[in-house]
Amino acid sequence: MDFSAYRTFDDEFRAKYADLLESRPYAAMLIEKQLRNYESGAAAIAGANIRKLTRSNYGRRFRAQLAFRLGGLLSRESEPRYYLKLERFDTFKSNLSSPLAGLGMKPLREVGAGLMPEMRVLHQLATLGGAFRTFMRTAEAEGIEKAVANQRLVNRLDKQARENFALVKAMIEKQRIQLFIADGDTLPFSRMICAAAKELAVPYVVIAHGYIQSPRLVGIAPIYGDYLVTWTEQQAADLRQALREEEKAKVLCFGYPKDTYRSDVTGNQALIVWHPLHDGDLALQVEEIRGIMAALQAAGYDSRLRLHPRDTKARALRGFFSDTGIEVSKDPLADDLEKSALVIGSRSSVLVEAAMSGKRVFQLAAYSTTPLECVAPIELGRSFEASLDINQQHGTWRPFDYEAFLNFLQRIRPSHQ
């Protein structure tokens, strides 16, 4: 993958927003991700995320519960903890839990009944107060550039974020968190946690949340954590080539960290996977998907569409598809991949996940400007059916080396335990 566009993009971004990044660093922690989305041309993604971030869940009852829980978490010393937040890495998390406990640490509680889990408290601290939502509502109404140009608004956000940062840092200290393993370091809460961990010399390790495809590395770089673990050695090499000298050593690979699925599936079930539909014109994309379904049907395959995670909760979108003749899967990803004999799509890490399992996987040639390892390009047309039967030569990959990873974690843990 060619990430050479990153350096130019990053230089231009830093120059344009130098005042924000240098003079209001705490505000920047909370809004830089969406600014980079916007400046990279992904305005639709930035807009969708901004709309989501304007939602307030700080009702009176919630605030009371948060304040009560926080008071307890900041007034006592606990045994050493670790933070493990990895969405859609179920087996990986399970395989790490016992060895991490063996290192003398307990997990920071992520879910559970009763009191608000410690992890949720830590996340909510980053955006406490009304300044963050006021900024995001302004960004939604007037555009994020105008919101950033509003000095009064940004100053208010920076002041509030500075106070929140102190709370985040205090909770990390009181809970004696000695290690962070997460699937990102750029969202508002993860960015602030990562910055606090850095000041406290607590290692923060990022496991790449997907197969990296953004040429400008939005959501990936700059690498704010101490380390970034990629899915494949090729991705690690490509990233090192594009990153600044001081970041190259942060990039590591221990093998493929996701689950694998049966490759000996027979039958005629095909799975179509897609990028977020709000990236482009919905009607045009629906027609494109219907064309793929027709081509698959002519080749003897039944097919269903799996929406991108950003689209799965959009009820209006599901209603729209109900009138198109496109079957949208509601099953877990593991179930979809287990029963599919063939997987085809545009830009999605799921294509790589399926390919790593040895399945027959194809990427539509129109989207192969962001090529995926082990995935064959395919054209819709006369040769489509014949191409589906071609034996693919899968690239090389290796399973995750847990022993090497755990040895690495032991080396980087702080000496003050």
Side-chain angles (χ1 to χ4, degrees):
M1 180 74 190
D2 182 6
F3 299 121
S4 58
Y6 165 69
R7 291 288 288 274
T8 300
F9 170 72
D10 188 51
D11 287 342
E12 292 174 350
F13 182 88
R14 289 172 186 268
K16 182 172 181 176
Y17 294 103
D19 183 58
L20 171 70
L21 298 173
E22 295 168 13
S23 303
R24 300 168 184 83
Y26 296 95
M29 289 179 196
L30 304 184
I31 62 180
E32 184 176 347
K33 169 70 180 297
Q34 302 319 320
L35 272 175
R36 284 183 177 264
N37 272 326
Y38 175 79
E39 293 292 345
S40 72
I45 293 177
N49 289 342
I50 287 168
R51 284 191 294 276
K52 183 167 64 176
L53 292 168
T54 61
R55 299 170 192 160
S56 175
N57 57 0
Y58 291 104
R60 183 178 300 176
R61 186 174 180 180
F62 178 89
R63 290 197 303 270
Q65 186 183 13
L66 181 62
F68 173 77
R69 191 76 173 106
L70 180 60
L73 293 172
L74 293 181
S75 64
R76 63 182 174 85
E77 294 286 343
S78 300
E79 56 192 310
R81 301 287 190 95
Y82 66 86
Y83 171 108
L84 184 61
K85 182 193 173 297
L86 298 169
E87 292 185 14
R88 297 185 291 277
F89 286 80
D90 293 341
T91 301
F92 185 76
K93 286 176 67 173
S94 177
N95 288 344
L96 284 180
S97 295
S98 179
L100 287 174
L103 296 179
M105 298 180 288
K106 277 194 170 185
L108 201 67
R109 195 161 57 97
E110 184 175 4
V111 295
L115 290 176
M116 188 184 297
E118 296 98 345
M119 190 179 290
R120 189 180 183 200
V121 174
L122 187 58
H123 292 174
Q124 296 292 346
L125 294 182
T127 55
L128 277 180
F132 178 69
R133 263 158 297 286
T134 299
F135 178 90
M136 287 301 171
R137 289 188 186 111
T138 305
E140 181 182 19
E142 302 177 12
I144 194 166
E145 278 191 307
K146 286 190 176 180
V148 171
N150 186 326
Q151 297 294 306
R152 183 178 177 182
L153 192 65
V154 175
N155 286 339
R156 180 188 169 199
L157 177 62
D158 192 66
K159 180 181 178 182
Q160 181 67 69
R162 185 186 297 267
E163 295 171 1
N164 294 348
F165 179 82
L167 287 174
V168 169
K169 188 175 175 181
M171 183 170 164
I172 292 172
E173 285 186 294
K174 289 293 183 181
Q175 290 297 298
R176 294 180 62 197
I177 303 174
Q178 297 186 350
L179 175 67
F180 288 88
I181 303 176
D183 50 16
D185 58 3
T186 59
L187 290 174
F189 69 85
S190 55
R191 178 76 183 276
M192 187 170 281
I193 291 170
C194 183
K198 191 176 189 70
E199 286 198 7
L200 295 168
V202 177
Y204 192 108
V205 180
V206 177
I207 309 296
H209 59 269
Y211 186 83
I212 303 165
Q213 299 180 59
S214 170
R216 294 177 176 83
L217 296 177
V218 177
I220 296 295
I223 302 173
Y224 300 107
D226 296 294
Y227 300 95
L228 170 66
V229 179
T230 64
W231 290 12
T232 69
E233 283 85 355
Q234 185 61 56
Q235 287 244 295
D238 291 344
L239 279 175
R240 292 189 196 107
Q241 190 171 354
L243 292 171
R244 300 178 190 281
E245 204 59 41
E246 64 271 18
E247 290 187 299
K248 294 181 188 293
K250 290 185 173 185
V251 182
L252 306 172
C253 181
F254 293 90
Y256 177 66
K258 298 281 283 183
D259 291 350
T260 53
Y261 306 92
R262 289 179 53 202
S263 61
D264 59 346
V265 178
T266 58
N268 66 339
Q269 183 63 52
L271 182 68
I272 301 171
V273 295
W274 212 250
H275 57 272
L277 287 160
H278 59 241
D279 280 4
D281 185 282
L282 180 57
L284 289 176
Q285 290 181 90
V286 166
E287 284 308 305
E288 187 175 6
I289 292 167
R290 291 176 74 175
I292 298 165
M293 292 180 69
L296 287 168
Q297 185 176 22
Y301 287 91
D302 293 329
S303 58
R304 56 202 319 227
L305 171 67
R306 181 172 185 83
L307 293 176
H308 189 276
R310 291 197 192 112
D311 295 328
T312 52
K313 295 182 180 178
R315 293 181 182 177
L317 193 59
R318 288 190 178 277
F320 177 86
F321 275 109
S322 66
D323 298 324
T324 63
I326 297 174
E327 181 185 355
V328 178
S329 172
K330 298 179 181 178
D331 294 337
L333 175 60
D335 291 352
D336 275 342
L337 288 178
E338 280 289 350
K339 62 191 176 188
S340 296
L342 181 148
V343 183
I344 186 170
S346 58
R347 298 186 301 269
S348 173
S349 292
V350 174
L351 293 171
V352 177
E353 293 182 52
M356 294 301 187
S357 296
K359 288 181 176 287
R360 285 186 296 144
V361 187
F362 300 89
Q363 181 183 36
L364 296 166
Y367 297 95
S368 62
T369 51
T370 54
L372 306 173
E373 289 177 69
C374 310
V375 179
I378 194 169
E379 294 268 8
L380 292 181
R382 291 183 179 179
S383 61
F384 179 79
E385 183 174 350
S387 297
L388 293 178
D389 294 327
I390 294 175
N391 289 326
Q392 297 179 82
Q393 191 68 37
H394 289 287
T396 58
W397 67 278
R398 63 186 175 96
F400 198 83
D401 188 336
Y402 286 96
E403 182 178 359
F405 184 63
L406 288 164
N407 287 338
F408 158 73
L409 294 180
Q410 285 185 291
R411 291 197 306 272
I412 66 173
R413 278 184 70 194
S415 55
H416 54 280
Q417 297 180 25

